[in-house]
Amino acid sequence: MIEIPIIYENNEIYVISKPSGLAVQGGKDIKHSLDVDFSQITGQKIHLVHRLDKDTFGLMIVAKNPLAANKWTKLIGSKAVKKEYVAVCAGQLKQKKGVISDNLVQHGQDKSAVTYYQVEKEWVCKGADFEIPMSQIRLLLETGRMHQIRIHLAKNDCPIAGDDQHGNFKVNKLLKKNLKIKKLLLASVKLTLPLPEGEKVFEIETPWPDYSNYEIEETPDND
């Protein structure tokens, strides 16, 4: 069974760290999923109140019972819960802080989509025969469309490293070979929650590795 760390718990919810590659919900041809595996880990049926893409990792809320699920689904829908993400991108944005508000087509319909962003760091990944501008970006969602962050950044020539669906496959191949980046570098890193104990908000944050310090691995010359 896949390990799913519990970061925080009260009588209504768990805040867990979802691993990259783990689907949130079970279905056809899905061997492992958060809803099934975490229910087995805790010994009780857990209830989904929001989702993360299969390849996105990091903080996520699940509810302990249907009443709590209804409450937290409404809290998330009303923006009472703030979700922040960090992405490492193979590209650099012209404006270092701003908002992307390009609509997205979802299930055949044009949907509004708004992503706030701030560039935290920029560097250049250099190898013997390539040079890739990189950036680390913090993001806050106003809307929650499928693959919203991934599509918004890709449409602005700043695709997330490791995103072969919306990003640059050729660049990802170089990053995988030279930096051993084998997964999508997008994480849910911070949740701001209203809590029932009377506190106004409660912030939960998870650490994020500094990919700007990763060094190019030399490929041995076999000639």
Side-chain angles (χ1 to χ4, degrees), residues 89-90 92-94 100-106 110-115 146-160 163 165-168:
C89 299
Q92 295 177 354
L93 295 169
K94 293 179 181 178
I100 302 171
S101 55
D102 296 330
N103 287 4
L104 302 179
V105 177
Q106 309 251 286
D110 199 41
K111 299 281 189 178
S112 63
V114 179
T115 305
M146 183 182 295
H147 292 190
Q148 177 175 317
I149 291 174
R150 297 164 67 176
I151 296 171
H152 270 176
L153 290 173
K155 288 175 71 173
N156 283 271
D157 298 319
C158 195
I160 300 175
D163 189 352
Q165 184 174 350
H166 302 289
N168 188 317

Side-chain angles (χ1 to χ4, degrees), residues 49-53 76-77 79 81 83 85 104 106-107 111-116 140-152:
V49 297
H50 69 119
R51 284 164 169 73
L52 289 178
D53 292 344
I76 291 170
K79 310 297 189 299
V81 175
K83 297 176 284 184
Y85 298 77
L104 302 179
Q106 309 251 286
H107 307 295
K111 299 281 189 178
S112 63
V114 179
T115 305
Y116 297 93
L140 179 67
L141 293 181
E142 174 72 20
T143 55
R145 309 303 180 193
M146 183 182 295
H147 292 190
Q148 177 175 317
I149 291 174
R150 297 164 67 176
I151 296 171
H152 270 176

Side-chain angles (χ1 to χ4, degrees), residues 9-200:
E9 175 185 1
N10 64 22
N11 63 338
E12 294 183 346
I13 60 170
Y14 293 102
V15 175
I16 57 96
S17 180
K18 187 190 84 67
S20 175
L22 178 65
V24 168
Q25 193 165 25
K28 185 179 178 181
D29 300 325
I30 296 177
K31 186 176 180 180
H32 291 282
S33 64
L34 174 68
D35 59 345
V36 174
D37 285 27
F38 195 61
S39 292
Q40 293 176 355
I41 290 170
T42 60
Q44 66 179 108
K45 178 177 173 57
I46 60 96
H47 302 263
L48 301 174
V49 297
H50 69 119
R51 284 164 169 73
L52 289 178
D53 292 344
K54 178 181 178 181
D55 294 327
T56 302
F57 64 100
L59 300 175
M60 184 174 171
I61 302 166
V62 296
K64 292 185 172 183
N65 55 66
L67 188 64
N70 182 57
K71 172 184 174 179
W72 283 89
T73 298
K74 289 178 179 177
L75 285 171
I76 291 170
S78 69
K79 310 297 189 299
V81 175
K82 293 183 180 179
K83 297 176 284 184
E84 294 182 33
Y85 298 77
V86 168
V88 171
C89 299
Q92 295 177 354
L93 295 169
K94 293 179 181 178
Q95 301 296 325
K96 305 313 173 188
K97 183 178 181 180
V99 57
I100 302 171
S101 55
D102 296 330
N103 287 4
L104 302 179
V105 177
Q106 309 251 286
H107 307 295
Q109 295 184 324
D110 199 41
K111 299 281 189 178
S112 63
V114 179
T115 305
Y116 297 93
Y117 71 88
Q118 181 166 356
V119 177
E120 293 187 325
K121 189 177 297 186
E122 293 181 331
W123 67 98
V124 178
C125 176
K126 295 182 180 180
D129 55 356
F130 68 90
E131 187 171 301
I132 304 170
M134 305 285 294
S135 56
Q136 177 175 303
I137 304 172
R138 184 168 288 259
L139 306 114
L140 179 67
L141 293 181
E142 174 72 20
T143 55
R145 309 303 180 193
M146 183 182 295
H147 292 190
Q148 177 175 317
I149 291 174
R150 297 164 67 176
I151 296 171
H152 270 176
L153 290 173
K155 288 175 71 173
N156 283 271
D157 298 319
C158 195
I160 300 175
D163 189 352
D164 286 336
Q165 184 174 350
H166 302 289
N168 188 317
F169 182 80
K170 183 178 178 181
V171 170
N172 287 337
K173 190 174 180 180
L174 284 171
L175 293 174
K176 182 177 181 179
K177 178 181 178 181
N178 294 280
L179 294 182
K180 306 306 177 188
I181 292 174
K182 300 178 181 179
K183 62 183 180 181
L184 179 77
L185 294 189
L186 173 63
S188 169
V189 297
K190 184 177 180 180
L191 293 174
T192 303
L193 312 176
L195 289 184
E197 290 84 357
E199 301 175 59
K200 290 184 178 179

